[in-house]
Structures are given as structure tokens and as C-alpha cells.
Amino acid sequence: MHDLTEGNPIKLIFLFTMPLLIGNLFQQLYNISDTLVVGQTLGVNALAAVGSTGSISFLIIGFAQGLTAGLSIVTAQRFGARDLKGVRESFAASIWISLFVTVVLTVLSLAFVHPILHLMQTPAAIYHDALIFISIIFAGIFASVAFNLLSNMIRGLGDSRTPLYFLIVGTVVNVVLELVFILIFHMGVAGAGLATVISQVISAGLCLIYIWRHVPLLRINRQDMRAGAGQLWEHFATGLPMGFQMSIIAIGAIVMQAALNSLGTASVASSTAASKIDQIATMPMSSFGVTMATFAAQNIGAGKYNRIIKGVRQTLILSSSFAIVIGALEIIFGKALVSLFISGHDPAVMRLSQTYFNVIASSYVLLAVLFIIRNTLQGVGQQAMPTFAGIAELVMRSFTAFFLVGPLGYAGAVSAEPLAWLGSCIVLIPSYLRAIRQLHNLQYMHDQNEQAKQVTAESGTGNHTEISVPNSTQAPHGLSRAGQHSTKQDS
């Protein structure tokens, strides 16, 4: 386990991010292997079928990912506060919540998969394959939830490398099984879906074995599993907003996918292929964002508020600089990379892909800022504004679908992403500026308590006046209970 509360912030952030980045890149190989194998062996229609389900999958799986990330923030805060019993209790509460959510998501997603595909205007030519693929993914929700919960818990304690190793194993298994199921057993898109689920089961199993053998801090017992209502509610209050935020964003993506579907198979296929390049290019920005959630959570638990501000400032500069460089490279070379996913180099698909890169890659700085600020706010316990930012993204995507796709066609459709990022930043930036002021105030009170403590120790009187940090019900905008509690203890 690694402590992010001591040492050079940007150095720690960079070192923590690198394994996370590699892990996220391998995570994308899950999707890319689906796209690459399906596109090259089964054709454009099968590729479009798999791609058309991406936003539906994000709606359900994204909720589970957001939820488990939120649950791990509570665990990270307790780890930063050195509350070891609280860490185990947090893990136990997270398990109960994840089990409940898995059952609900699996039942609802399989029950409503037909209406959702119809609502998205899925073209008849790809409807059957889309239904088969997404049904298998939904049936395997348990595997995705398990892996995300366990890997997020390990990361919350400061270890970003171990989940990477297990993700690499899962990715290799995924690629091998896809080739076997599609090329040897001729299972079509069903083989791609089944390979993804099996590989996630293996990765989750490896995480569980590692935790039991090497992370005694997460080795829970019967007493830890007896989570009370207050314990469960604290975790729901952190995890659910992050889950809903992901789903709100996904609803906007579904609206846009429906708009893309109405433009025809070439538009769907070009976005499916180009988005894979886009997802790889934005992985470093996303990884820095995920790191900031853990960094902020541990440091607010330790009462080191100014350290959070310094880390955010340094990471914003680093991530934004990368965004400018990678955006330019994608515009120049993205079209050539898309040809890897399209057999026959369909000219219509290639032309639309270049449009995709021109519009989206030029706006990456907005995305870099969004990732850093949103995850930092979540890490310090502010869940409301990131959720409102998700609503802003939904509004912007819906506006694009209803008012820009008609007159601008494909260019209007892909402009939904940068407009959504802009809408989110408009909500998040003022919230972050308020959070900075709150963190400065908390740091001042913490420092005053430390000074009073030092004066008392030097005088030997044993009496001093402590400056109390407000509790969670008094703190403006919901700064984390863990951080405030830790500050009072450290004083």
C-alpha cells in the first residue's frame, strides 16, 4: 500500500498514474479487440452492431463503475486518516451494496434490452447482432462489478500496480478467447461478448486472491460484515451520485447514438472505429483524473488541504499540455489508424472518421480540465456538483441531437462531445474555486490548532483552546466528514 500524503505531490501523482494509465490502456484493449477482430473477420455490419451497443453498455456498466469508484473514495479517506478498522468496515459495506446493485442492474437491463434498442433506432441490418452482444454483456454484469470494486479498493489504498497486472492477464485471455470463439467455433458477435465476460471473471478472481493473501487491511471478518444503516448510508451517499453521474452522461451518449444510427451504417461504423483511437488518446487525461480522486481522498483524510490544491494545480498543467500535443497528433495521423479497423478501407467511413478527429481532438484541453476538477471534487466529498455537471453534459448532447444533427449531419453529431465537455466545465470550475476557499479555511484552522498544541506543550500547562473544524453538517458544500474528523484528531 502507498501513502499519497507525504512527498512531492506531482511526483507521487505521476508515479501512481503510470500503472493506472497502462491498466486503462489494457482496459481499452477489451473494447479494441472486440472492434478489431469483429471488424476484420465479421464485416462492417457486425462492427456497427457491437459499436451501437457501446452507449447502452455504458449506461449500465458505467453506473456500476461510478458506484464502485465512489465506494472506494470512502475507503481511501479512512486509509488517509489511519482508521484501519474503518477501512475494513468500509470494504464490507461496499460488498453489500455491490451485491444489491448487481442483482438490480442485471434484472432490469435484461428485461428492458429490447425497448432500449428500439428506442435508439438501431438499424434492422444490425439489430440481431446488437441484441446478442449486449445481452451477453448484461448477463455478465456481476463480473464487471466484482472487478471494478476489488481493483478500486486496492487503488484506494495507494496500489495502482497490482490491478494492472490482473488487467493484463484478463486482456490477453480476452483476445485469445475472441479469436478462438470467432475464428474456430464461428460464434460471431456472441463469441466477442462471451470472451469479455470470462476475462473479467478471471481478473476479478485474481484480485480477490491477492487481497486475501497480501492485503490484511482488507481481510474482513463477520463483525466487519455487520454494516449498520449509518455505515451503508454513508457509502450510498458517496457511491450513488457517482454512479448516477455516469448514467446521466451515458443517457446523453444514447441520445447521440440514436442520432448517429439515423445517419446510417457508415456513420455508426466510422464513430465506432474512430472512438477507439479517441479513447486511447484520452487515457492519460482520464488516468490523471482517477489519480486525483485517490490523492484528494487520502489527503483530506490526513487533513492536508493545501497539498490537494498544489497537486491539482500541477496536474492541470501537465494534463493540459499533453492534451494539446495528443490532439494535434490525432488530427494528423488518426485517419491512418482507423484503417486498422475497417476491412477494405471504406472511403465513406474514412472520410467521416477524419471529421470526427477534427472536431473532437481539437477540444481535448476541455476534457483534461474536466477530468482533474471533477475527480478532485469527488475525492474531497463533494458529489452534488459533479452530478450537476453530468446533467449539463446530458443537456448539451440532447441539444446537439435535436438541433445540430439535422442541419450539420455527421459533423453536428460528433460536436456533441466538445459541447458536453464545455457544459460540464461551466458547472465544475466555479464549484472548484469555492472548494479551494474552503480548503484554505480548513488548513488555516488546522494550522491554528497545531500552533495552540505546540504552545501548550512548551508551557506545560496542559490547557489550551482548540479551534474546532466544523462537522460535516456545518461545512459548506459537503466537504468530506473523514477529512474534518481527521483534522480535529490531528490537532
Side-chain angles (χ1 to χ4, degrees), residues 209-231:
I209 293 171
Y210 176 81
I211 287 174
W212 185 253
R213 292 183 177 179
H214 302 289
V215 191
L217 192 55
L218 295 179
R219 199 177 298 158
I220 56 180
N221 53 42
R222 288 186 178 181
Q223 185 177 358
D224 296 325
M225 292 298 292
R226 296 171 183 170
Q231 185 87 256

Side-chain angles (χ1 to χ4, degrees), residues 80 155 159 279 341 364 380 491:
R155 292 189 191 102
D159 180 3
Q279 288 164 6
F341 299 94
Y364 276 165
V380 301
S491 302

Side-chain angles (χ1 to χ4, degrees), residues 256 260 267 270-282 285 322-324 326-332 352-368 371 397 400 410-422:
M256 285 313 307
L260 276 174
S267 294
S270 64
S271 289
T272 300
S275 67
K276 302 307 177 184
I277 309 301
D278 170 59
Q279 288 164 6
I280 293 176
T282 57
M285 293 175 270
F322 172 82
I324 294 172
I326 198 66
L329 292 175
E330 187 173 306
I331 291 172
I332 297 171
L352 292 173
S353 296
Q354 186 61 54
T355 301
Y356 181 103
F357 294 131
N358 292 342
V359 173
I360 289 182
S362 60
S363 307
Y364 276 165
V365 170
L366 286 173
L367 185 61
F371 278 138
R397 286 191 173 96
T400 303
Y410 186 76
V414 296
S415 68
E417 289 301 311
L419 288 176
W421 302 338
L422 176 62

Side-chain angles (χ1 to χ4, degrees), residues 62 66-67 69-70 73 238-247 378 383 387:
L67 175 76
I73 284 176
T238 302
L240 283 181
M242 290 184 66
F244 284 131
Q245 173 197 323
M246 298 295 285
S247 292
Q378 290 167 339
Q383 304 299 337
T387 302

